Amino acid sequence: MSTHDAAADWWGTAVSRIEPDVIELRGQPVQDLIGRIGFAELVWLMLRGERPEPRQAALLEAALVSSVDHGPHAPSIAVARMAVTCGVGLNNAVATGVNLLGDVHGGAGEQCVGLLEEIVTDGDAAAVVARWRARDKYLPGFGHRFHTRDPRRDPLLGLVERAVADGVVAGAHLRAALDVERLIAPVPMNIDGATAVVYAELGFPAPLARGLFVLSRSVGILAHAWEESGQGRRNKGPIPPSILPTWL
C-alpha cells in the first residue's frame, strides 16, 4: 500500500465524501437534500445510511421534540446557564451542558432500551424486572422526581400505538414497556422510557438512544444559554448570593 493510500484509508468513512466542489452525505449530494429533507430524516440518513419512511421519520421527530428541554431543574440546563455567565462562548456553554448527560442524567433512555431488549429476548418481563431490581431499586425509564405522570408519555406512546396498528413498527418493545409499567404500578413510564420505546421500535441500538437524547437536549441547552447571555449576570452560581450554603 502506498503512503498516499495509507493516509487516505486512515480516515476512511461511509458517512460523507468531501472533495473540491463535492459534498455527499451517505452518497447523496447535499444540494439534492437541501430543502427536500427534514432534519429528523437527515439524522436517520446520517446514522443508518438510508432514508426512513415518512411514518418512521415522524416517530423519530416526535421523540426528538419531546426531549428538548426540562428547564433549569435539569443539571445540564443549569450548568450551561452558569457557564455562559463566566465569559465562555455559546459553544462552550452547550458543550458544558452536554458533558453532564451521563449515566444518571441523560443515560436512562439507553439503559431502558437495554431493559426492553432483554425482556423481548427473554420473554418474561417479571423475571427481567426482578433481575434488574436486584441490582438497583430504580428502573431506567420509569418514575420521575418531578412529575407524578410525565406529560410527554401519553402523546409519544399514542403515536407508537398507531404506528403498530398501521404496521410501521412491530410493537414488541412497546408491549415490553407496558408490561413493566403494569408490574411496578403505580409508577408510570417517564420520557426516557417513552423515547426508549420509540428508538427501540425504530431499530436504533441502545447507545444511540443516548446519542439521540443528547442531540435533542442540546437544543434546549442552547436556548437557555442564549437567554442567560442576555440577562447581564456574571459568574452566576447554583444559588443566589443571598443564600449561603449550610456549614457542615
Side-chain angles (χ1 to χ4, degrees):
M1 179 183 292
S2 70
T3 302
H4 177 276
D5 289 342
D9 289 349
W10 186 258
W11 291 111
T13 175
V15 174
S16 59
R17 185 166 75 96
I18 311 299
E19 298 177 1
D21 302 325
V22 173
I23 300 175
E24 291 182 354
L25 306 179
R26 291 292 189 178
Q28 300 192 32
V30 70
Q31 61 267 30
D32 294 344
L33 298 173
I34 296 171
R36 297 186 177 94
I37 188 172
F39 189 66
E41 294 175 87
L42 184 63
V43 170
W44 185 298
L45 172 66
M46 293 295 283
L47 292 176
R48 300 174 67 158
E50 61 185 16
R51 294 178 71 156
E53 298 297 324
R55 290 285 298 279
Q56 293 174 320
L59 261 185
L60 175 58
E61 183 165 311
L64 291 172
V65 167
S66 69
S67 301
V68 159
D69 188 20
H70 199 253
H73 304 284
S76 55
I77 300 291
V79 74
R81 296 191 72 123
M82 288 190 290
V84 83
T85 70
C86 296
V88 302
L90 281 175
N91 58 316
N92 303 103
V94 171
T96 300
V98 166
N99 278 334
L100 260 66
L101 297 175
D103 289 342
V104 175
H105 171 47
E110 176 182 359
Q111 296 155 10
C112 187
V113 171
L115 170 65
L116 302 181
E117 292 281 9
E118 190 171 332
I119 292 172
V120 170
T121 300
D122 187 279
D124 187 340
V128 173
V129 167
R131 287 198 296 269
W132 280 62
R133 278 195 149 174
R135 299 193 298 264
D136 192 330
K137 65 178 181 178
Y138 297 107
L139 281 181
F142 296 86
H144 202 286
R145 65 184 177 85
F146 197 78
H147 305 294
T148 54
R149 186 176 181 86
D150 196 314
R152 300 163 290 188
R153 175 206 178 277
D154 293 349
L156 274 183
L157 294 193
L159 290 173
V160 178
E161 288 168 353
R162 289 194 287 277
V164 172
D166 295 340
V168 178
V169 295
H173 297 89
L174 172 62
R175 291 189 291 272
L178 294 175
D179 284 344
V180 173
E181 201 171 46
R182 283 190 288 270
L183 285 166
I184 65 173
V187 179
M189 206 179 310
N190 61 31
I191 185 58
D192 298 308
T195 53
V197 169
V198 173
Y199 297 143
E201 288 288 349
L202 291 174
F204 287 97
L208 279 182
R210 188 184 309 208
L212 290 166
F213 175 78
V214 169
L215 185 63
S216 170
R217 181 53 59 87
S218 65
V219 178
I221 292 172
L222 173 61
H224 278 273
W226 175 244
E227 180 185 63
E228 187 69 48
S229 72
Q231 293 185 350
R233 283 179 281 207
R234 293 165 58 90
N235 296 326
K236 182 176 184 176
I239 54 178
S242 60
I243 301 175
L244 299 179
T246 301
W247 171 252
L248 299 179

